[in-house]
Amino acid sequence: MKRALAAAAVLALAVTGCGGKQQTDQAAPSGAQSCDAGEGRITIATGNSGGVYYVLGGGLAQLISNNTKLRATAAETGASVQNIQQLVAGNYDVAFSLADTAADAVRGKGSFDGKPQKIQALSRIYPNSTQVLVRSDSGINSVADMKGKRISTGSPKSGTEVIANRLLKAAGLKPDADVQAQRLDLAKTADGMKSGTLDGLVWSGGLPTAQITDITTALKDKVKFLDITPLLPELKKVNDVYDQGTIPAAAYGQPADVPTVVVPNLLLVREDFPAGNACAITKLIFDKQAELAKVHPAAKEITKQLAPRTDPVPLHPGAKQALG
C-alpha cells in the first residue's frame, strides 16, 4: 500500500505547468467565507527530486485533486528562494519553503534584499534537519575544516544554499573564497559523494531523505555526519527560527544520534490567493494527514498546534479560518 501511494505521488509530479484561473470566493450562508475550493488549476512548487518537498508535494497535489474541485500538479524546482520568486511572479500558486528563507522574503533581506515579498502562509509544516555529511577520509571534523574542500552547498537559489552559506560564515569562512563550493542539486551531489569528487555536502531536508540514504548505504563508514550545533548561537543572530534537533541513528543506520540544527518549513501562497481555496487546502492537510504520512513519514511531524506559528510570515485569512 505504501509503495502504491508513493508511486502515485511521484506520478503526480509528471505534469507541470503554470497556474490556471481560480474562482473567486463565495460567501457562506453565515456571512463567513466559504471553506470550499473553487474550480480551477493550481501548481505546487516543490524542490529537488529525491527530497521530501518533491515527494510530499506530489502527495499533496494528488490529495487536492481527489478531494476538491481544484486540479493540482506539482513541479520539481531548485526549492525555497526560487520557489518564492516564482510564486510571487505567478508561475506557481503554492510553494514549499524553509521558514528562514520565507522570513528573509517578507523582510526584504538576504536573497530578497530591499524587496519585501507579498506572501502569506497556509501552515507551518514539518521541520527540516540540516544534514552535513562528509567523507571520513576528507579530514573534515567541523565546518571550519571545510576550508579548501569540495563541498556541495545545494542547488542555486535553494534554502539549502542559504543555510550552507550561513554555516560557513558562522564558522569564519568566506563561502565564495575559502571553500570549493559546488552548487549542485541532490542527485548530482549524491553522485559526487559516491565517486569521490566531493568531500562533503550540506543538505536541508526531512528525515529520511532518499538520496542521503543512497549515499550512506553505498559508502557506509566512509562517510559521517557532523555535529554543527556549536554554530547555532551564531545562526540565531541571523534568524531566531533556527533551533537544535537530532538526526536519529535509525534515520540512516548510523552508530549514534547526531545533534544538528533544524528549521521549520512553511507552505506559502500569494496574498491574493482565494480564501476558499486556502481554507480548503489547509483543512485537507490535517483531515488527510495520515494519507500524507503514507507518502512520506515526515508528514507525521505536521501538527495543528504548531501550524499557525508562521511569524514573521502572515498566516493567510483562509488558513486562519481552517485552523480556527
Side-chain angles (χ1 to χ4, degrees), residues 250-288:
Y252 297 113
Q254 297 300 294
D257 294 350
V258 179
T260 193
V261 173
V262 296
V263 59
N265 288 296
L266 302 180
L267 204 58
L268 303 174
V269 293
R270 292 183 300 278
E271 288 182 348
D272 62 357
F273 192 71
N277 291 354
C279 184
I281 293 170
T282 305
K283 187 173 184 297
L284 188 64
I285 290 169
F286 294 96
D287 288 349
K288 302 291 185 180

Side-chain angles (χ1 to χ4, degrees), residues 122-126 264-266 286 302-303 306-310:
L122 295 183
S123 180
R124 174 171 168 168
I125 48 176
Y126 67 93
N265 288 296
L266 302 180
F286 294 96
I302 303 173
T303 70
L306 293 176
R309 298 185 187 178
T310 62

Side-chain angles (χ1 to χ4, degrees), residues 23-36 273-280 316-319 321-322:
Q23 284 190 342
T24 54
D25 293 310
Q26 312 233 339
S30 64
Q33 290 294 330
S34 168
C35 199
D36 294 325
F273 192 71
N277 291 354
C279 184
H316 191 286
Q321 181 180 343

Side-chain angles (χ1 to χ4, degrees), residues 112-183:
F112 309 92
D113 189 25
K115 297 179 181 178
Q117 305 295 300
K118 294 182 178 181
I119 56 172
Q120 295 183 344
L122 295 183
S123 180
R124 174 171 168 168
I125 48 176
Y126 67 93
N128 262 18
S129 293
T130 308
Q131 300 164 57
V132 181
L133 187 66
V134 300
R135 292 185 66 94
S136 301
D137 61 0
S138 65
I140 303 172
N141 295 301
S142 68
V143 175
D145 293 337
M146 290 182 174
K147 187 170 184 178
K149 303 294 185 179
R150 303 162 299 176
I151 306 296
S152 173
T153 54
S155 299
K157 296 188 177 183
S158 66
T160 290
E161 185 175 53
V162 171
I163 290 180
N165 287 340
R166 286 177 177 172
L167 280 172
L168 292 167
K169 289 175 184 177
L173 300 178
K174 296 177 181 178
D176 57 349
D178 292 336
V179 174
Q180 296 183 51
Q182 310 294 306
R183 303 173 77 196

